[in-house]
Amino acid sequence: MSVPTQMNAVGFTESLPIDEENSLFSFTLPVPSVSENDILVRLVATSINPADAKNRALSAAEKPHQQPLILGYDAVGIIESIGKNVTGFAIGDKVYYAGDVTRAGANAEFQVIDYRIAAHAPASQTDAQAAVMPLVSLTAYEALFDRLRVSRTEKKSLLVIGGAGGVGSIAIQLAKQLTNLTVIATASRPETNKWVRNMGADHVVNHRELIDSMGKAGFNQVDYIFNVADTQGHWDAMVELIAPQGMISSIVEVDSKVDIAPLAMKSAGFVWELMFTRSMFKTSDMIRQQDILAEIAQLLDDGKISSTLTQTLVGFHVDTFKEAHRIIESGKSIGKTAVIY
């Protein structure tokens, strides 16, 4: 199939409630061309992340975008052309990746992406199953092994705050499959409690009464904490629960400062995780994301971890993307939602 000169996309220029007519809209634009490190991908599926809804709701709150901004971070698609420096890929290969916030997203028929942050899609997974995995897998993997610097052999403890979400679900699975950590995850509803146990959590605690719930589960402290829910709301509990010389990582931004001084007596550390850092700043180890995605694909194909897909929407249409945003903004979704083009 030849590549057209024009493509359809879904984007926004104003930050509006999702039910507003122009919260998202369809438009056409030229198919992008590749630079030396790029691949051009014909997209077949994406998934919706909290980052999509947050970007739509906030990025144009003070000033509209001059050009429509195309959202969409997770993607699965077929390579249509490659740049001169690209290695390890060929036209026709199916790839998956989590994108780059400095470039146009995956809510379009075609996308250009740096080959160093893409990998061959897992052969055992449907497009929908694969589409929900890149962003959450990279985030969870980087948090565990690059930020918290967990050793795969040490027998310590990990608390995942927000265990039923997309990132938390993968963090639990990776910790259980790749480390010797005892994994405690938070959940507050019967359905989320069941979900995190199915993901492999050894213990489940209630985030609404975190310290008491941890104590009842037999944990007055933990070696590692990975927060994917609410940094400010859980900060005091995290400071109390982290063990001496322990490490805390979070992916949730704060509206004001958090006081890290109480960590000093414990020689404990705090580190942010943002999976877009490597692509945003073109770090020297940017290709590590390709390696991580390749390992995730192998874990999926070996049946050691499972996709967190729970809902699939079909059709490349603005209404489909609006529905996906409604789902993520409900705050009650479990697992991930995919959109098949």
Side-chain angles (χ1 to χ4, degrees):
M1 184 184 296
S2 62
V3 178
T5 59
Q6 296 285 309
M7 69 176 186
N8 296 311
V10 171
F12 71 102
T13 56
E14 300 177 89
S15 289
L16 301 170
I18 193 59
D19 289 327
E20 292 282 340
E21 182 178 358
N22 288 325
S23 61
L24 293 171
F25 57 85
S26 301
F27 64 102
T28 61
L29 73 163
V31 172
S33 57
V34 297
S35 63
E36 56 188 15
N37 291 318
D38 290 336
I39 53 177
L40 174 67
V41 179
R42 184 188 298 271
L43 295 157
V44 297
T46 188
S47 78
I48 305 301
N49 292 281
D52 292 276
K54 182 177 180 180
N55 200 339
R56 192 205 82 249
L58 298 178
S59 68
E62 296 184 1
K63 182 180 179 181
H65 298 299
Q66 291 186 343
Q67 300 295 327
L69 183 66
I70 304 171
L71 295 170
Y73 304 112
D74 287 322
V76 175
I78 308 298
I79 296 177
E80 294 290 345
S81 65
I82 59 176
K84 66 178 183 179
N85 289 347
V86 174
T87 60
F89 296 106
I91 292 173
D93 286 351
K94 181 177 285 190
V95 293
Y96 80 144
Y97 51 87
D100 178 345
V101 292
T102 68
R103 309 181 78 171
N107 294 175
E109 293 178 313
F110 293 88
Q111 185 182 17
V112 163
I113 199 75
D114 193 299
Y115 83 99
R116 292 169 291 182
I117 59 173
H120 291 94
S124 63
Q125 304 293 291
T126 66
D127 292 336
Q129 289 172 325
V132 303
M133 294 299 289
L135 186 148
V136 293
S137 297
L138 285 167
T139 301
Y141 193 106
E142 288 183 350
L144 289 174
F145 301 113
D146 296 349
R147 313 301 175 223
L148 294 173
R149 300 183 182 181
V150 170
S151 166
R152 299 196 183 206
T153 57
E154 62 186 351
K155 295 182 178 180
K156 293 185 176 181
S157 55
L158 167 70
L159 169 62
V160 179
I161 302 176
V167 175
S169 298
I170 298 300
I172 294 168
Q173 292 190 72
L174 292 179
K176 292 307 298 180
Q177 289 297 321
L178 301 179
T179 78
N180 283 320
L181 296 177
T182 296
V183 180
I184 309 108
T186 69
S188 61
R189 293 176 284 146
E191 57 269 33
T192 54
N193 188 307
K194 179 179 179 181
W195 174 267
V196 297
R197 288 191 184 278
N198 288 340
M199 292 297 102
D202 298 299
H203 305 273
V204 182
V205 296
N206 191 329
H207 66 267
R208 300 184 190 282
E209 44 188 35
L210 188 53
I211 294 175
D212 289 344
S213 188
M214 285 286 288
K216 292 175 182 177
F219 297 92
N220 293 317
Q221 62 181 29
V222 287
D223 301 292
Y224 301 104
I225 298 175
F226 181 31
N227 174 52
V228 300
D230 178 4
T231 303
Q232 280 178 302
H234 295 301
W235 183 253
D236 290 343
M238 290 192 290
V239 168
E240 183 169 338
L241 289 168
I242 196 64
Q245 303 185 95
M247 284 292 296
I248 302 169
S249 182
S250 179
I251 67 171
V252 185
E253 297 174 355
V254 296
D255 296 327
S256 59
K257 296 178 181 179
V258 293
D259 183 11
I260 65 172
L263 297 177
M265 294 296 291
K266 293 184 176 182
S267 297
F270 174 76
V271 60
W272 293 108
E273 157 56 21
L274 178 67
M275 60 126 293
F276 295 118
T277 295
R278 284 181 160 122
S279 57
M280 187 185 303
F281 294 98
K282 301 295 186 288
T283 62
S284 60
D285 65 348
M286 183 173 166
I287 201 166
R288 177 159 167 76
Q289 291 203 333
Q290 183 182 106
D291 297 334
I292 293 170
L293 288 173
E295 184 174 353
I296 295 298
Q298 191 63 58
L299 289 168
L300 287 163
D301 288 341
D302 290 344
K304 292 183 178 180
I305 65 173
S306 59
S307 171
T308 54
L309 175 71
T310 54
Q311 189 166 353
T312 303
L313 305 178
V314 179
F316 185 84
H317 191 277
V318 65
D319 290 341
T320 312
F321 290 103
K322 284 187 175 184
E323 178 59 24
H325 277 247
R326 290 187 189 97
I327 292 170
I328 203 71
E329 288 182 340
S330 73
K332 297 181 180 180
S333 59
I334 301 174
K336 294 288 297 294
T337 297
V339 177
I340 300 298
Y341 293 0

